[in-house]
Amino acid sequence: KAGVTQTPRYLIKTRGQQVTLSCSPISGHRSVSWYQQTPGQGLQFLFEYFSETQRNKGNFPGRFSGRQFSNSRSEMNVSTLELGDSALYLCASSAAPSDEQFFGPGTRLTVL
Amino acid sequence: LAKTTQPISMDSYEGQEVNITCSHNNIATNDYITWYQQFPSQGPRFIIQGYKTKVTNEVASLFIPADRKSSTLSLPRVSLSDTAVYYCLVGEASGTYKYIFGTGTRLKVLA
């Protein structure tokens, strides 16, 4: 069974631009969570989707948004990029919100 | 969501048993304790989860005292490949625990 895949793996953007990251969960998994990881703040929860509905949201500004499609694939969007948005963005999937999470390899975003 | 406290870093030698303790004084009745492992440039990987007493799987053991205000992840006979960051999470079985990872414990295994 294929694992969680994230595209692209690396991305370089400039301040003010927007970016869309994609996550394909493990087949059959309906829950997808997104995290931001930086050296200073560690691993921080962004949002969680289950059956196309946002189940919970972390403490991030409205520039960070996400969505989930009927096939459980998920995207997150960051608008008006700031230098501080440079981070590793991780996606995790599980069969249900209470089940074990499986993480993808992440997308490393660099904002110049 | 219960807040957790872990040591920032630990060093050990190959072949030794490593115990990482996590403090969670405000753990609630319905909260579970979950540990993850993360290698550089990879996403975290689930290690073990428990509610009380002792849980053991093929890679680790989790010891939880009766008051559940702390827990200890035990890694038997560590190897260099166990060098990683270990996260302790505490929260409800509904999955809300995964919202707070914290900064984890950086374990370095020395030859």
Side-chain angles (χ1 to χ4, degrees):
Chain A
K1 193 182 252 189
V4 177
T5 58
Q6 293 186 245
T7 56
R9 292 292 312 279
Y10 302 91
L11 203 52
I12 299 176
K13 292 285 188 178
T14 56
R15 279 183 302 173
Q17 287 186 310
Q18 75 165 20
V19 67
T20 299
L21 311 182
S22 180
C23 171
S24 292
I26 291 173
S27 177
H29 285 191
R30 296 165 60 196
S31 177
V32 173
S33 298
W34 287 89
Y35 297 83
Q36 180 196 66
Q37 186 168 35
T38 59
Q41 299 297 320
L43 198 61
Q44 293 185 287
F45 169 76
L46 279 158
F47 25 66
E48 179 187 23
Y49 287 87
F50 179 66
S51 295
E52 301 180 65
T53 301
Q54 189 178 85
R55 188 167 178 262
N56 215 322
K57 190 177 191 302
N59 189 26
F60 278 82
R63 300 184 297 107
F64 292 81
S65 63
R67 59 177 175 169
Q68 187 179 33
F69 302 95
S70 58
N71 62 359
S72 295
R73 190 177 69 86
S74 177
E75 289 182 347
M76 68 162 283
N77 184 277
V78 187
S79 62
T80 319
L81 284 166
E82 300 176 0
L83 295 179
D85 297 332
S86 293
L88 180 67
Y89 290 88
L90 292 159
C91 165
S93 79
S94 59
S98 59
D99 291 342
E100 176 184 343
Q101 288 189 104
F102 295 86
F103 282 80
T107 294
R108 182 157 305 275
L109 172 65
T110 302
V111 182
L112 302 176
Chain B
L1 297 174
K3 182 178 177 180
T4 61
T5 303
Q6 306 174 231
I8 294 174
S9 64
M10 295 179 67
D11 287 346
S12 181
Y13 288 94
E14 279 191 295
Q16 289 188 329
E17 177 185 74
V18 171
N19 296 309
I20 306 175
T21 297
C22 179
S23 173
H24 29 80
N25 292 318
N26 297 321
I27 190 168
T29 302
N30 295 329
D31 286 347
Y32 279 71
I33 300 157
T34 309
W35 286 81
Y36 281 82
Q37 174 193 56
Q38 186 179 25
F39 298 112
S41 300
Q42 294 185 26
R45 183 174 68 101
F46 174 92
I47 301 175
I48 197 166
Q49 183 182 70
Y51 182 79
K52 62 180 179 180
T53 62
K54 176 183 175 183
V55 180
T56 298
N57 61 23
E58 62 275 10
V59 298
S61 294
L62 178 60
F63 298 93
I64 306 168
D67 65 5
R68 304 203 323 126
K69 293 183 182 299
S70 67
S71 59
T72 300
L73 173 71
S74 180
L75 304 172
R77 300 180 60 79
V78 294
S79 64
L80 296 176
S81 63
D82 292 317
T83 294
V85 178
Y86 293 83
Y87 296 94
C88 165
L89 284 72
V90 173
E92 294 181 3
S94 63
T96 56
Y97 64 87
K98 61 195 178 190
Y99 301 152
I100 301 179
F101 263 79
T103 53
T105 297
R106 189 172 298 276
L107 172 66
K108 185 174 183 180
V109 179
L110 307 170

